[in-house]
C-alpha cells in the first residue's frame, strides 16, 4: 500500500538525515570556529589568486576541497559558515555539482571498467570550465564579499557564550533545513523505486538514447544515476550493466553524462537552503551533460566511420 511505501521512505529519510547530520555538524562546527581564528585569513591569502579565476574569495577553497574529497554535505556545512553572496553560491554549487565525492564515485566508474584518471579529469575539467564561464557571465556580481575575514574578532577576544551561541545557531539551521529537504526526498524516491517508475520511463527514452549514441540498455542505468546518483544508484547501475553488457565507448558516454548530471533531484534540493536558484542549477547541469555527451558521440561516430573507410580501402 502507498502508506507503507511512504512510511518506509520516511524511515529512510530519518536515517539519512542522521547519517548526513554526522557529517555536516562537525564540519559546520569546525569551520564556524575557524572563522574566529587566523586560519581562515591564511587560507584566503594562500588561495585568493586561484579562487579569483572563478570570482570567489579565498576561503571558498575550503568548500571545494571538502566537496571534491568528501561529499556535498561536507561542502554545504562549510558554506553555511561562510559569508558568500548569491552569485558566489551559484558558482560553487555548479562546480561542486560537476565534481564531488571523487573517491566513492570514481570507484563506481572503475567497477564499470573505465579509466579512473579520465573520469577524474573530466570532472575537474568541467568544474573548472563551469566556474570560469559563470564568473565571466556574471561579471562584477561576484567577489563582493572577498576579504570578509580580514578584521575578525578572534576567539580569545569574544565572550565564549557569544561564540557558542553563534555556532549552535548555525548548526541547528543547517541540520533543520537538511531534514526539511532530505526526508520528503527519500519518501519520493521510495515511491519511485517500489512503483517501478524508472522501468516505465526507460521505454520512452529510446529516441534520446539514440541521439546521445547510447542503446536502449543504457536507459535504466542512466535513470538510476539521474535520480539516485552515482553513489546511491551504484547498485542499480552495476547490476544493469552486468545483465546487459555495453561497449566500452557506450559506457564512457554514459558516465560522461552521469558525472555531469546525476542525483538531480537530491543535489538540487539540498542546495536550496543556501539560497541558490534550483532551476538555474538544474538547467546548467542538464544542458552541459546533453551537449558534451552528444558532441562526444558525434566525434566517436565520425572517427569510427573514418576507420571503417580506411579499412575498406586497405582491403581493396
Amino acid at each position: 500500500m502507498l502508506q507503507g511505501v511512504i512510511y518506509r521512505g520516511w524511515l529512510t529519510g530519518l536515517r539519512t538525515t542522521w547519517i548526513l547530520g554526522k557529517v555536516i555538524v562537525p564540519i559546520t562546527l569546525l569551520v564556524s570556529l575557524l572563522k574566529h581564528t587566523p586560519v581562515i585569513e591564511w587560507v584566503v591569502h594562500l588561495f585568493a589568486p586561484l579562487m579569483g579565476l572563478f570570482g570567489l574569495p579565498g576561503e571558498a577553497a575550503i568548500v571545494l576541497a571538502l566537496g571534491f574529497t568528501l561529499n556535498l554535505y561536507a561542502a554545504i556545512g562549510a558554506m553555511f559558515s561562510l559569508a558568500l553572496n548569491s552569485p558566489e553560491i551559484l558558482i560553487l554549487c555548479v562546480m561542486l555539482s560537476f565534481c564531488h565525492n571523487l573517491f566513492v564515485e570514481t570507484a563506481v566508474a572503475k567497477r564499470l571498467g573505465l579509466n579512473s584518471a579520465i573520469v577524474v579529469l573530466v570532472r575537474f575539467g568541467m568544474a573548472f570550465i563551469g566556474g570560469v564561464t559563470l564568473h565571466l557571465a556574471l561579471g562584477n556580481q561576484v567577489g563582493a564579499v572577498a576579504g570578509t575575514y580580514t578584521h575578525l574578532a578572534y576567539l580569545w577576544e569574544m565572550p565564549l557564550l557569544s561564540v557558542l551561541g553563534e555556532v549552535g545557531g548555525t548548526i541547528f539551521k543547517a541540520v533543520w533545513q537538511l531534514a526539511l529537504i532530505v526526508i520528503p526526498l527519500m519518501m519520493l524516491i521510495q515511491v519511485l523505486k517500489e512503483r517501478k517508475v524508472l522501468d516505465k520511463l526507460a521505454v520512452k527514452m529510446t529516441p534520446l538514447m539514440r541521439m546521445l549514441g547510447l542503446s536502449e540498455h543504457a536507459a535504466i542505468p542512466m535513470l538510476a544515476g539521474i535520480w539516485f546518483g552515482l553513489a546511491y544508484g551504484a547498485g542499480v547501475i552495476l547490476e544493469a550493466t552486468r545483465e546487459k553488457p555495453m561497449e566500452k565507448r557506450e559506457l564512457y558516454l554514459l558516465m560522461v553524462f552521469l558525472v555531469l548530471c546525476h542525483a538531480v533531484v537530491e543535489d538540487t534540493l539540498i542546495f536550496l537552503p543556501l539560497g541558490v536558484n534550483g532551476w538555474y542549477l538544474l538547467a546548467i547541469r542538464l544542458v552541459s551533460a546533453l551537449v558534451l555527451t552528444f558532441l562526444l558521440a558525434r566525434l566517436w561516430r565520425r572517427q569510427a566511420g573514418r576507420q571503417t573507410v580506411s579499412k575498406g580501402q586497405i582491403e581493396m
Side-chain angles (χ1 to χ4, degrees), residues 185-201:
L185 174 64
M186 291 298 106
M187 294 166 67
L188 173 62
I189 288 178
Q190 191 72 29
V191 173
L192 291 175
K193 286 179 5 183
E194 299 199 19
R195 291 299 176 91
K196 305 293 184 182
V197 174
L198 295 185
D199 295 337
K200 298 174 183 177
L201 288 176

Side-chain angles (χ1 to χ4, degrees), residues 227-242:
W227 282 98
F228 309 131
L230 291 180
Y232 292 154
V236 178
I237 296 172
L238 293 171
E239 183 64 18
T241 54
R242 185 187 65 82

Side-chain angles (χ1 to χ4, degrees), residues 83-125:
L84 300 167
N85 61 30
S86 295
E88 290 168 347
I89 291 173
L90 178 61
I91 291 174
L92 279 173
C93 289
V94 169
M95 294 180 71
L96 289 168
S97 295
F98 288 153
C99 187
H100 61 264
N101 202 8
L102 284 174
F103 293 117
V104 174
E105 295 184 351
T106 302
V108 174
K110 189 173 182 180
R111 284 288 302 276
L112 291 171
L114 304 182
N115 187 302
S116 301
I118 293 177
V119 174
V120 171
L121 183 62
V122 168
R123 302 193 74 176
F124 270 125

